[in-house]
Amino acid sequence: MRKDFCLLAYTVCIGIALVAGGCNDWLDVKPKSQAESEELFSREQGFKDALTACYIKMNSTSLYGMELMVSSIEYMAQFWDFTNNNDRNAKLFKDFDYSSSLVESTFKSIYSNFYNTIVQANSVLENLQLHGEVIENEKLRKMIEAEALGIRAFCHFDILRLFGQLPQNATIHVQLPYAKTVGVETIPYYTFDDYVGLVLDDINKAQNLFKECDPVLDYPFAELNAASGVGLEDSYMGYRRFRFNYWAMEALKARLYLYIGNKEKAYTAAHNVIDAKTNSGQIVIDLVRSKDFYSECILALSNNEIKDNIGGFSSSTSNFMTAANYGKLFSGKVTTDDFRAKDFWAETVSNGSYTYYEFVKYKQPEDNIVNNSEEWMIRYQVIPLIRLSEMYLIVMSDEPAELTEANKLYKSYMAEKNALITTDMAREELNAEILNEYRREFWGEGQMFYAYKRLGVKEMMWKTDREVEEKDYIVPLPTTESGSN
């Protein structure tokens, strides 16, 4: 069946009580009993189950299973069109109406689920120190620790991107909690720079551990799309693109450095990922000229509920794109060739009255079309978290990339999208195209709002009623929080 991969652990009793409340309440998460905790982490399988629970939580609809991929975060980027009777809730997010009960409850749920995921990762890390000797395979033990650190860094960084201040030229300053323990103690709040330092520290620790254990250093991602296809010591070490891994940490580093304005380090890290080779010299990952975006994922989740939650998200009445806006999105591009235009969007006529474009990026085939459960997991049930395309866009960004190199790379990048570019562009024009590519490439992946926030953009495409203000970019912390923003 299709439910075997990571999400099999929905049926596993993790033995961790996840509770609601303020952040320091959410972080006050303890095992139901000391005996249950000791039982869970008294064997290797318990550590595997506890780590898998982190991925399950990340797949929830409050996080990357919906809200931070296709709905709330994309409404804030002014994405999606609606008929008049179906835009009321979305408009609250588009207007940045953080005082509305719907918006407030949505972000409270996002915030709590982030920290519950972090608590789960911290529980794994704490118990590795206490009981890690039960994992006899040293590489497996290091990999579990590295993945838990990666999860903690990734979730904290997205908390920063959503609830934190502008990364540059901020006049509204925000402190946020960074959780590194499981327990009743108050979690300290940190300034923006200190918080970034903690994220980077976790990334570097994870990457140093991955250097000693990650199979992706020996095999390309494509060869690790099976649990034991390359004869791994433990099948749990397979499916590396669907788990935090060495190159995901380098890519996350590139994303973080670009976000805080350190373009030189972002350029270097992104280039490292683009040029990545295994120890034997094989290319680790490459761009693809097809709708199969899964194959250029550096990090993704496999979600067997994608058909119900996201696959039918777009319809003739909500979450579609008008013909006019479709034209703006692909302005200057030949839409009959560009696979994003023709494979991610389906032109449809609704009852003969108007033409709209349905978003079909996550639309799942009928159950009888694909019989192989592994193919379902690695090709269709995919929630992309970081893709190689983003690394190309980071390298092309202004400084330190030379304009000649940036244009050459842009042509190469667009050729893989089946959209040939023959002329060079001036830097200002290329920067505008890079921003357009964030819209075209990552629609439905929750990245555009953060791109706007990183740049402090005041005029978002499709927001015509007013300029976007600094406070619009800062989602308020839940009212139960001891800190504030």
Side-chain angles (χ1 to χ4, degrees):
M1 298 297 290
R2 286 185 282 148
K3 297 186 179 181
D4 46 1
F5 185 49
C6 282
L7 298 187
L8 175 64
Y10 271 116
T11 60
V12 175
C13 177
I14 300 303
I16 300 294
L18 300 178
V19 297
C23 171
N24 289 312
D25 292 327
W26 291 325
L27 294 171
D28 181 12
V29 177
K30 296 171 289 188
K32 292 178 180 178
S33 71
Q34 189 64 31
E36 286 180 355
S37 176
E38 291 178 359
E39 171 61 24
L40 177 66
F41 293 109
S42 66
R43 62 198 190 282
E44 180 181 290
Q45 188 60 45
F47 279 96
K48 292 178 178 178
D49 292 343
L51 182 63
T52 298
C54 296
Y55 292 102
I56 292 171
K57 181 61 71 174
M58 292 178 72
N59 258 317
S60 70
T61 56
S62 291
L63 295 180
Y64 304 103
M66 177 170 278
E67 298 293 353
L68 296 181
M69 293 299 291
V70 298
S71 59
S72 299
I73 195 69
E74 297 291 62
Y75 297 145
M76 294 163 70
Q78 310 306 306
F79 286 1
W80 305 120
D81 293 313
F82 304 82
T83 56
N84 290 336
N85 295 326
N86 290 277
D87 67 350
R88 182 173 301 173
N89 291 342
K91 193 173 185 303
L92 295 172
F93 291 92
K94 285 173 175 277
D95 290 343
F96 310 111
D97 187 356
Y98 300 129
S99 63
S100 75
S101 59
L102 172 68
V103 175
E104 184 179 8
S105 64
T106 297
F107 286 115
K108 182 177 181 179
S109 179
I110 289 171
Y111 192 76
S112 65
N113 276 280
F114 263 137
Y115 278 106
N116 282 334
T117 305
I118 292 166
V119 163
Q120 183 70 16
N122 285 340
S123 180
V124 172
L125 292 169
E126 282 194 9
N127 280 282
L128 279 170
Q129 299 301 313
L130 297 172
H131 311 294
E133 72 280 356
V134 303
I135 307 174
E136 296 182 1
N137 185 325
E138 184 179 2
K139 285 188 176 180
L140 176 62
R141 184 168 64 250
K142 288 181 177 180
M143 195 183 76
I144 290 175
E145 182 178 358
E147 287 190 34
L149 284 166
I151 290 167
R152 187 168 79 183
F154 189 90
C155 290
H156 274 116
F157 179 41
D158 271 3
I159 289 169
L160 180 72
R161 292 202 293 176
L162 191 58
F163 297 94
Q165 67 192 50
L166 290 182
Q168 298 175 66
N169 304 315
T171 64
I172 303 172
H173 298 282
V174 177
Q175 294 191 357
L176 294 170
Y178 201 97
K180 300 180 72 171
T181 60
V182 177
V184 297
E185 66 271 22
T186 299
I187 305 302
Y189 282 63
Y190 296 89
T191 64
F192 181 88
D193 289 343
D194 288 343
Y195 191 101
V196 167
L198 290 169
V199 175
L200 282 170
D201 186 52
D202 276 346
I203 291 174
N204 290 328
K205 286 179 180 176
Q207 202 165 28
N208 287 334
L209 287 165
F210 278 130
K211 284 180 182 178
E212 302 179 41
C213 64
D214 198 338
V216 82
L217 296 175
D218 293 314
Y219 304 97
F221 277 112
E223 290 186 24
L224 293 166
N225 278 345
S228 56
V230 293
L232 298 175
E233 299 174 50
D234 191 308
S235 61
Y236 194 75
M237 299 176 75
Y239 300 105
R240 294 312 295 154
R241 76 167 80 247
F242 294 100
R243 311 286 293 271
F244 280 81
N245 60 77
Y246 178 86
W247 292 113
M249 292 296 94
E250 190 72 5
L252 183 60
K253 195 183 296 182
R255 179 185 281 180
L256 174 58
Y257 278 132
L258 183 70
Y259 189 73
I260 64 175
N262 192 330
K263 295 180 181 179
E264 185 171 347
K265 288 187 175 181
Y267 172 92
T268 299
H271 236 311
N272 288 342
V273 178
I274 292 171
D275 299 334
K277 289 183 172 60
T278 67
N279 291 328
S280 61
Q282 294 173 282
I283 295 173
V284 171
I285 188 171
D286 212 342
L287 292 175
V288 292
R289 190 179 295 189
S290 74
K291 64 181 178 181
D292 291 332
F293 62 89
Y294 75 91
S295 64
E296 64 159 71
C297 285
I298 304 163
L299 179 64
L301 298 172
S302 183
N303 188 326
N304 63 8
E305 295 183 347
I306 195 171
K307 183 175 183 178
D308 294 332
N309 296 339
I310 297 181
F313 183 71
S314 183
S315 72
S316 62
T317 58
S318 61
N319 305 316
F320 60 85
M321 189 184 293
T322 63
N325 283 344
Y326 178 84
K328 290 179 182 178
L329 182 64
F330 292 99
S331 177
K333 300 294 179 285
V334 181
T335 54
T336 54
D337 296 332
D338 191 319
F339 79 77
R340 282 90 50 90
K342 64 190 183 70
D343 291 338
F344 292 165
W345 298 94
E347 184 177 3
T348 310
V349 178
S350 176
N351 300 322
S353 58
Y354 65 93
T355 298
Y356 71 97
Y357 286 82
E358 180 186 359
F359 186 65
V360 294
K361 190 174 190 175
Y362 299 114
K363 196 165 187 176
Q364 303 289 288
E366 295 300 321
D367 288 348
N368 62 349
I369 300 298
V370 181
N371 295 318
N372 185 298
S373 62
E374 196 166 86
E375 185 178 359
W376 275 110
M377 293 184 295
I378 67 173
R379 183 174 183 179
Y380 297 107
Q381 298 173 174
V382 178
I383 302 289
L385 297 181
I386 308 179
R387 290 201 286 121
L388 188 61
S389 287
E390 183 181 353
M391 299 300 104
Y392 274 78
L393 297 180
I394 289 174
V395 168
M396 286 184 264
S397 297
D398 195 8
E399 298 177 6
E402 296 289 341
L403 184 58
T404 300
E405 178 197 13
N407 269 298
K408 182 179 179 180
L409 202 62
Y410 182 65
K411 291 175 185 177
S412 174
Y413 166 88
M414 291 302 289
E416 293 303 317
K417 309 304 175 184
N418 207 30
L420 297 179
I421 303 295
T422 58
T423 58
D424 288 348
M425 288 181 281
R427 171 47 74 181
E428 185 175 345
E429 183 183 6
L430 182 57
N431 285 346
E433 275 303 291
I434 290 171
L435 194 61
N436 286 333
E437 274 303 305
Y438 269 90
R439 295 187 191 96
R440 290 188 284 258
E441 186 69 36
F442 304 119
W443 193 294
E445 296 184 31
Q447 295 304 316
M448 196 65 226
F449 176 77
Y450 302 134
Y452 282 140
K453 184 171 181 175
R454 168 172 60 85
L455 297 168
V457 170
K458 293 182 178 180
E459 295 183 3
M460 289 185 181
M461 184 180 285
W462 300 303
K463 186 166 183 60
T464 58
D465 59 327
R466 65 174 177 85
E467 287 188 343
V468 181
E469 301 176 33
E470 182 176 2
K471 63 183 179 61
D472 296 324
Y473 283 115
I474 304 171
V475 176
L477 295 179
T479 55
T480 50
E481 279 305 277
S482 57
S484 66
N485 59 353

